[in-house]
């Protein structure tokens, strides 16, 4: 945990937007942590740098008997509290305000009108667009509170008790559609909580290296290295702290991008020398994937074999006590449901709670308090090459989930060549950095085509490119017609097995970024 900076505690009541609150706060260089509402007693008692608390939204009604309750100890801390949606209603109920249930949810864009002066709305326009998502609403504000804004439907959209340092918003300032949400959160952080000591990655880096040296001492650590951003930064950070006591294992499952395996070996062999170990397990993975078409089965097979291969190689290194993982803070937040928190399950993470107990190793996760953009900035401070830091995300199961249906060597080869042409075009035309993630999918269908006056019957490819901030939501990237024509022409001219190129115009939601 960060010790040198003031901290904002975000109490999670189950909102799907909780991670966005944390991101918006970190973007303003303020340190914050998310904790489930039922697991905050210890952090309140332990942390002396707590500057403010935010109560998240949630799917429940405060009127429900089994709904999450307010931890009353936070009211005795005499620090500012901001309740958002469900959090607002909790404050209202605690101080005997009146909560009503709407006949229908207010969801989506709404306009609010500021009614009274408030530090929370300093510099914010009197009429403003916000994002609403609620069923319950305040019918009567608690005694001692004033109404600071109303929605266009005359719903109380914000209240405050300045004396008690309590503030509440019925809308979500963390969501992009709340046009001045960032300003509102900034006012809470700097005007109300009066945060002064900002979170600096230089401080994080120096403190983390000291902590790793102190905690690991002369113990040996193994790290699973894929060449992706998270594992790369993890390995460089650990190497800075413990040098030759770090051993990096690269399990090559044969499902990487074009010539990527050789690139990983070249880069990391130079950095870690004999402490970098490559295991070519491609034959094992492909043999186990034979005749498997179900995407979830493919994922499970790949995950199981990866652990088996990694474990076998790790046993060859004597006296290892620690396993390093590139777990990031979003992994922790999204995995809260597995550890008794209220947030709806989004997805499981192989980095969180998924290791075989028989390995009997302690876990070290040096990046677990950081978001992806912070990890990239940290990597730059560790002097990691920008082409490694700013690579598009790549899934753990690799190309197996970009080949719907059965996977074989021939299909992998075709997809690698197509993907390489696509990505190179983006880089050569300065488009790559404008896109969060781009890749090709080899479709399990063939179609009739004509090439050189001859009939062809070859594979179809779908291209995917999306823009995003954190991968939780995404929009398809709008290529120009010229770009699409050029990319399609290059693929069909250079990959004989493909005669049709499609483009995926699907956002997330309703689709996912990957196809499987």
């Amino acid at each position: 945990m960060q010790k040198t900076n003031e901290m904002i505690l975000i109490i999670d009541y189950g909102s799907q937007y909780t991670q966005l609150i944390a991101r918006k706060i970190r973007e303003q260089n303020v340190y914050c942590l998310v904790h489930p509402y039922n697991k905050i007693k210890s952090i309140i008692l332990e942390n002396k740098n707590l500057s403010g608390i935010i109560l998240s939204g949630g799917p429940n009604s405060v009127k429900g008997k089994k709904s999450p309750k307010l931890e009353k100890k936070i009211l005795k801390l005499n620090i500012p509290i901001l309740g958002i949606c469900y959090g607002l209603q909790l404050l209202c109920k605690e101080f005997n305000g009146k909560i009503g249930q709407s006949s229908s949810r207010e969801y989506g864009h709404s306009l609010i009108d500021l009614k009274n002066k408030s530090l929370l709305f300093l510099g914010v326009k009197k009429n403003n667009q916000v994002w609403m998502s609620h069923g319950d609403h305040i019918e009567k504000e608690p005694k001692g509170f004033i109404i600071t804004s109303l929605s266009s439907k005359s719903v109380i959209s914000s209240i405050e008790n300045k004396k008690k340092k309590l503030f509440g918003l019925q809308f979500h300032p963390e969501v992009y559609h709340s046009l001045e949400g960032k300003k509102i959160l900034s006012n809470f952080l700097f005007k109300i909580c009066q945060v002064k000591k900002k979170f600096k990655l230089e401080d994080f880096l120096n403190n983390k290296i000291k902590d790793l040296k102190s905690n690991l001492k002369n113990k040996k650590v193994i790290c699973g290295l894929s060449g992706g951003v998270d594992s790369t930064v993890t390995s460089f950070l650990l190497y800075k702290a413990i040098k030759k006591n770090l051993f990096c294992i690269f399990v090559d499952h044969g499902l990487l991008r074009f010539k990527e395996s050789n690139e990983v070996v070249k880069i990391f062999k130079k950095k870690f020398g004999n402490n970098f170990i490559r295991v070519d397990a491609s034959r094992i993975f492909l043999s186990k994937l034979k005749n498997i078409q179900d995407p979830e089965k493919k994922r499970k097979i790949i995950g199981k074999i990866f652990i088996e291969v990694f474990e076998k190689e790790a046993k060859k290194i004597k006296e290892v006590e620690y396993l390093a993982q590139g777990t990031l803070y979003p992994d922790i937040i999204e995995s809260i449901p597995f550890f008794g928190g209220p947030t709806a399950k989004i997805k499981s993470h192989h980095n969180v709670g998924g290791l075989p107990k028989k390995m009997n190793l302690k876990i070290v996760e040096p990046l677990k308090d950081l978001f992806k953009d912070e990890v990239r900035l940290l990597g730059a401070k560790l002097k990691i090459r920008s082409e490694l830091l700013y690579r598009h995300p790549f899934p753990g199961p690799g190309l197996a989930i970009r080949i719907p249906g059965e996977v074989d060597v021939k299909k992998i080869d075709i997809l690698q060549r197509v993907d390489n042409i696509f990505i190179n075009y983006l880089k050569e035309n300065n488009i790559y950095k404008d896109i969060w993630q781009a890749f090709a999918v080899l479709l399990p269908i063939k179609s009739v085509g004509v090439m050189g006056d001859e009939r062809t019957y070859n594979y179809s490819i779908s291209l995917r490119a999306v823009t995003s901030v954190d991968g939780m939501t995404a929009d398809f990237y709008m290529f120009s017609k010229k770009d699409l024509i050029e990319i399609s022409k290059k693929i069909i001219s250079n990959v004989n097995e493909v005669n049709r190129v499609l483009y995926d115009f699907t956002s997330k939601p309703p689709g996912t970024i990957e196809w499987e």
Side-chain angles (χ1 to χ4, degrees):
M1 183 182 294
Q2 190 73 10
K3 298 171 186 173
T4 58
N5 298 97
E6 298 157 284
M7 190 185 90
I8 299 295
L9 172 65
I10 301 166
I11 300 178
D12 181 27
Y13 288 96
S15 171
Q16 298 290 354
Y17 299 136
T18 300
Q19 188 181 137
L20 284 178
I21 302 173
R23 278 197 60 83
K24 293 296 180 185
I25 292 173
R26 290 282 186 92
E27 282 172 9
Q28 301 193 54
N29 296 319
V30 175
Y31 193 72
C32 63
L33 287 177
V34 176
H35 278 263
Y37 74 93
N38 53 350
K39 295 180 182 292
I40 60 169
K41 287 184 182 178
S42 60
I43 194 169
I44 291 171
L45 295 172
E46 289 170 9
N47 201 287
K48 296 176 182 177
N49 301 317
L50 210 54
S51 299
I53 293 174
I54 295 179
L55 312 177
S56 85
N60 297 286
S61 167
V62 293
K63 298 167 81 73
K65 290 182 180 179
K66 295 183 179 179
S67 295
K69 302 295 187 286
L70 186 72
E71 174 53 68
K72 295 186 181 183
K73 284 186 179 178
I74 67 172
L75 299 173
K76 297 177 182 178
L77 297 176
N78 196 33
I79 59 174
I81 298 174
L82 173 64
I84 297 175
C85 199
Y86 185 83
L88 158 70
Q89 292 153 20
L90 279 175
L91 290 174
C92 186
K93 184 182 178 187
E94 178 64 26
F95 290 93
N96 301 313
K98 188 176 180 184
I99 305 288
Q101 279 186 307
S102 305
S103 55
S104 61
R105 287 179 64 87
E106 187 176 16
Y107 182 82
H109 298 92
S110 183
L111 293 174
I112 62 166
D113 186 25
L114 303 186
K115 296 297 181 186
N116 284 295
K117 283 187 177 181
S118 168
L119 271 180
L120 199 58
F121 295 106
L122 189 68
V124 173
K125 293 176 185 175
K126 190 174 185 298
N127 301 105
N128 220 298
Q129 177 186 297
V130 297
W131 183 263
M132 292 281 192
S133 178
H134 66 93
D136 292 353
H137 63 275
I138 300 173
E139 287 187 352
K140 178 66 179 173
E141 72 277 15
K143 188 177 179 181
F145 285 73
I146 62 166
I147 297 170
T148 51
S149 72
L150 291 172
S151 78
S152 54
K153 294 185 178 181
S154 297
V155 171
I156 296 173
S157 47
S158 62
I159 61 172
E160 67 178 58
N161 184 321
K162 193 174 179 182
K163 186 178 179 182
K164 292 183 182 291
K165 302 179 187 176
L166 301 176
F167 303 79
L169 301 172
Q170 186 58 76
F171 58 90
H172 290 270
E174 70 275 20
V175 174
Y176 173 77
H177 305 286
S178 291
L179 298 184
E180 295 202 69
K182 185 176 180 180
K183 180 67 178 171
I184 294 168
L185 288 173
S186 176
N187 285 338
F188 179 70
L189 298 174
F190 302 114
K191 302 296 182 185
I192 295 170
C193 298
Q194 298 186 339
V195 172
K196 291 181 177 65
K197 190 171 178 60
K198 289 192 174 185
F199 172 61
K200 294 180 181 177
L201 276 174
E202 289 91 344
D203 295 339
F204 178 90
L205 179 58
N206 294 332
N207 291 333
K208 185 59 69 175
I209 289 170
K210 285 178 187 175
D211 287 347
L212 290 169
K213 282 180 178 178
S214 172
N215 294 330
L216 299 176
K217 296 186 171 65
N218 294 317
K219 303 292 194 300
K220 289 181 181 177
V221 179
I222 54 172
C223 176
L225 192 55
S226 67
V229 176
D230 306 340
S231 66
T232 297
V233 176
T234 297
S235 64
F236 272 62
L237 179 55
L238 279 163
Y239 185 75
K240 190 94 173 168
I242 63 173
K243 302 294 182 188
K244 292 187 178 180
N245 281 325
L246 175 68
F247 295 81
C248 295
I249 300 173
F250 167 47
V251 177
D252 183 359
H253 51 29
L255 298 162
L256 297 173
R257 290 169 281 207
F258 187 72
K259 294 186 178 179
E260 187 171 16
S261 178
N262 293 337
E263 288 175 17
V264 171
V265 172
K266 185 179 177 182
I267 292 165
F268 294 101
K269 195 74 176 174
K270 183 179 178 181
K271 177 72 177 177
F272 302 120
N274 291 333
N275 281 22
F276 172 80
I277 302 151
R278 179 203 178 199
V279 185
D280 185 356
S282 53
R283 288 186 180 180
I284 302 170
F285 280 90
L286 288 173
S287 66
K288 296 292 185 182
L289 288 170
K290 192 174 182 179
N291 299 324
I292 304 297
Q293 296 192 19
D294 180 80
E296 202 54 35
K297 283 183 180 177
K298 285 195 280 188
R299 284 180 178 274
K300 286 179 180 175
I301 288 168
I302 292 167
K304 181 174 181 290
I305 299 167
F306 181 90
I307 289 172
E308 289 172 357
V309 172
F310 185 88
E311 185 181 9
K312 183 180 178 182
E313 200 61 38
K315 284 180 179 177
K316 296 177 185 177
I317 305 167
K318 305 298 181 186
E319 299 176 345
V320 172
E321 290 191 31
Y322 287 88
L323 172 67
Q325 295 190 147
T327 309
L328 303 191
Y329 199 45
D331 301 338
I332 301 292
I333 296 173
E334 290 183 0
S335 298
I336 280 174
F338 298 95
F339 302 102
T343 306
K345 174 181 170 181
I346 299 169
K347 58 181 176 179
S348 60
H349 287 270
H350 64 278
N351 280 347
V352 185
L355 290 161
K357 291 179 182 177
K358 60 182 179 179
M359 282 189 79
N360 200 28
L361 295 174
K362 299 169 190 170
I363 305 300
V364 55
E365 298 169 313
L367 307 180
K368 68 178 181 179
D369 291 337
L370 300 181
F371 285 92
K372 178 77 87 175
D373 52 341
E374 294 171 324
V375 169
R376 286 186 165 125
L377 292 171
L378 189 71
K381 294 185 184 303
L382 289 165
K383 295 183 167 52
I384 299 172
R385 287 159 45 182
S386 61
E387 58 265 37
L388 283 176
L389 291 177
Y390 290 92
R391 296 175 82 177
H392 290 177
F394 189 69
L399 299 181
I401 59 169
R402 294 178 181 174
I403 302 175
E406 187 179 351
V407 179
D408 59 39
V409 175
K410 182 183 176 184
K411 289 179 180 178
I412 293 168
D413 174 59
I414 294 168
L415 186 55
Q416 283 176 333
R417 285 181 282 138
V418 170
D419 191 75
N420 187 53
I421 292 167
F422 183 30
I423 298 302
N424 281 343
Y425 181 89
L426 301 181
K427 290 178 178 177
E428 289 164 5
N429 290 272
N430 298 316
I431 303 172
Y432 188 79
K433 287 187 177 179
D434 297 333
I435 295 170
W436 163 264
Q437 190 172 2
F439 56 91
V441 178
L442 181 65
L443 302 180
I445 54 171
K446 289 186 176 183
S447 66
V448 173
V450 179
M451 292 182 75
D453 296 328
E454 290 186 8
R455 176 188 183 274
T456 61
Y457 187 62
N458 288 330
Y459 284 103
S460 298
I461 284 285
S462 180
L463 302 179
R464 181 85 161 127
V466 298
T467 57
S468 180
V469 174
D470 49 25
M472 294 184 71
T473 60
D475 256 331
F476 59 84
Y477 180 79
M478 184 60 79
F479 284 105
S480 68
K481 184 179 179 182
K482 175 181 172 293
D483 286 328
L484 289 173
I485 290 170
E486 285 296 316
I487 294 166
S488 177
K489 190 190 297 182
K490 278 179 178 287
I491 291 171
I492 291 172
S493 298
N494 290 282
V495 183
N496 294 332
E497 298 90 340
V498 173
N499 68 357
R500 194 174 296 270
V501 177
L502 313 174
Y503 186 62
D504 184 350
F505 287 95
T506 313
S507 296
K508 176 188 178 182
T512 54
I513 294 177
E514 295 287 348
W515 274 47
E516 289 193 339

